[in-house]
Amino acid sequence: MCGIVGLFLKDPGLEPRLGEMLTDMLITMTDRGPDSAGIAIYGRGEPGRAKLTIQSADPAQDFAGLAEAVGQAIGAEARAEVKDTHVVLTVPADKLQEAREAVQAIRPGVTVMSAGEEIEIFKETGLPKDVAARFGVDRMAGTHGIGHTRMATESAVTTAGAHPFSTGSDQCLVHNGSLSNHNSVRRRLKVAGMSFQTENDTEVAAAFLTHRMHEGASLEQAMEATLTDLDGFFTFVVGTKDGFGVIRDPIACKPAVMAETDQYVAFGSEYRALVNLPGIENARVWEPEPATAYFWER
């Protein structure tokens, strides 16, 4: 039993409040998963630049001089913004992969949480309110985001095992449920060139979508492919640079509710996650259908 939330803003006037609204939604879901929590924020990127969000168990040691070392390695300016156990490293967009390789060579003990032009992922063990406060998520602006509070069933309670999982540029996924064939799917994806940081079944789902989209599938087509290729009970909320999507397995035993107004589209494991959103009393509210892909893009 986990809690997941998502918020896609249609109204640019709400963008300064994205982090505040997502934080409130996620805190409301605390009793569905008190082990760890995480949020992916999609902010309007800086033209010509991209970001790596990096986590460390020893940030004072690992983040000292990191931007300078990476900048020297890639021959371009790298800027760092430290946020507790994470740092957002900004580099020229055409140097993103080179910068990622440099980070892993210079600081092999750190974990790259996300990479892309707009995405930033912050996650740690602990209650949602504490995790959000550590990173100041409620003060973050953006266009859309997704969040997760975890009750661990498939793996240990660690930062690496927390959601969201990101396996592609500006892509991430949160999951409520359990996959029964993740080991066999992981093996196939490794043969296809995908790499993994954990044994978590949700990382497999994220990598499955990334691989499908690398092969040319749209977000909708990739989500629909989960219905035939992934076994188990699941509700997925997926983030991309341009929007987000939702899909439930054909049985749909995991709870889910959506709301849409002229200002936003919102997702929550339960309706109570949505009750403080502006104008929710006038929203169209519905339960997403089983085996049906929903997605919204800018």
Side-chain angles (χ1 to χ4, degrees), residues 40-74:
I41 295 284
Y42 288 85
R44 294 197 181 274
E46 187 179 346
R49 297 186 70 83
K51 299 179 281 191
L52 294 169
T53 309
I54 301 159
Q55 185 269 347
S56 170
D58 187 1
Q61 178 70 29
D62 286 332
F63 297 161
L66 179 61
E68 293 80 3
V70 171
Q72 185 174 11
I74 66 174

Side-chain angles (χ1 to χ4, degrees), residues 60-112:
Q61 178 70 29
D62 286 332
F63 297 161
L66 179 61
E68 293 80 3
V70 171
Q72 185 174 11
I74 66 174
E77 181 192 30
R79 301 195 300 264
E81 182 181 6
V82 176
K83 298 184 178 184
D84 198 78
T85 58
H86 291 45
V87 63
V88 180
L89 194 67
T90 306
V91 299
D94 61 356
K95 297 281 188 178
L96 183 60
Q97 183 56 35
E98 191 177 343
R100 183 171 189 153
E101 293 169 359
V103 166
Q104 293 170 333
I106 295 165
R107 299 286 193 272
V110 305
T111 301
V112 176

Side-chain angles (χ1 to χ4, degrees), residues 26 33-38 123-128 131 148-152 156-159 161-163:
L26 194 60
D35 298 329
S36 59
K123 59 184 185 179
E124 278 290 357
T125 57
L127 297 174
V131 173
H148 186 274
T149 183
R150 182 176 185 229
M151 180 175 289
V157 179
T158 63
T159 300
H163 304 204

Side-chain angles (χ1 to χ4, degrees), residues 10-269:
K10 301 178 185 179
D11 180 1
L14 286 178
E15 290 180 15
R17 296 184 56 199
L18 176 69
E20 169 199 338
M21 291 188 289
L22 267 176
T23 297
D24 180 76
M25 294 168 71
L26 194 60
I27 289 173
T28 304
M29 293 287 94
T30 297
D31 60 349
R32 294 191 61 85
D35 298 329
S36 59
I39 286 182
I41 295 284
Y42 288 85
R44 294 197 181 274
E46 187 179 346
R49 297 186 70 83
K51 299 179 281 191
L52 294 169
T53 309
I54 301 159
Q55 185 269 347
S56 170
D58 187 1
Q61 178 70 29
D62 286 332
F63 297 161
L66 179 61
E68 293 80 3
V70 171
Q72 185 174 11
I74 66 174
E77 181 192 30
R79 301 195 300 264
E81 182 181 6
V82 176
K83 298 184 178 184
D84 198 78
T85 58
H86 291 45
V87 63
V88 180
L89 194 67
T90 306
V91 299
D94 61 356
K95 297 281 188 178
L96 183 60
Q97 183 56 35
E98 191 177 343
R100 183 171 189 153
E101 293 169 359
V103 166
Q104 293 170 333
I106 295 165
R107 299 286 193 272
V110 305
T111 301
V112 176
M113 293 295 185
S114 64
E117 295 181 10
E118 298 188 2
I119 189 174
E120 297 177 15
I121 289 180
F122 303 94
K123 59 184 185 179
E124 278 290 357
T125 57
L127 297 174
K129 68 178 180 64
D130 297 328
V131 173
R134 290 176 70 171
F135 301 114
V137 175
D138 64 340
R139 298 187 299 275
M140 294 180 188
T143 57
H144 57 291
I146 63 177
H148 186 274
T149 183
R150 182 176 185 229
M151 180 175 289
T153 57
E154 294 291 333
S155 57
V157 179
T158 63
T159 300
H163 304 204
F165 281 94
S166 180
T167 54
S169 181
D170 281 311
Q171 297 174 14
C172 67
L173 178 145
V174 294
H175 171 207
N176 181 22
S178 180
L179 302 180
S180 58
N181 67 333
H182 61 95
N183 287 323
S184 61
V185 175
R186 183 186 291 108
R187 287 192 293 269
R188 293 199 301 272
L189 290 172
K190 283 183 176 179
V191 171
M194 298 297 297
S195 59
F196 295 85
Q197 296 180 336
T198 74
E199 295 299 312
N200 193 287
D201 60 340
T202 303
E203 188 179 15
V204 173
F208 175 83
L209 293 176
T210 297
H211 177 62
R212 284 292 180 129
M213 286 187 277
H214 281 174
E215 289 185 321
S218 65
L219 173 60
E220 180 183 19
Q221 291 167 334
M223 289 193 299
E224 288 175 346
T226 66
L227 301 172
T228 55
D229 289 32
L230 301 182
D231 294 333
F233 303 114
F234 58 83
T235 296
F236 296 140
V237 180
V238 184
T240 70
K241 179 181 177 180
D242 297 319
F244 91 133
V246 174
I247 194 163
R248 305 169 81 194
D249 68 83
I251 297 176
C253 65
K254 298 299 180 181
V257 62
M258 302 198 71
E260 183 169 13
T261 73
D262 291 339
Q263 292 184 295
Y264 58 80
V265 180
F267 173 93
S269 291

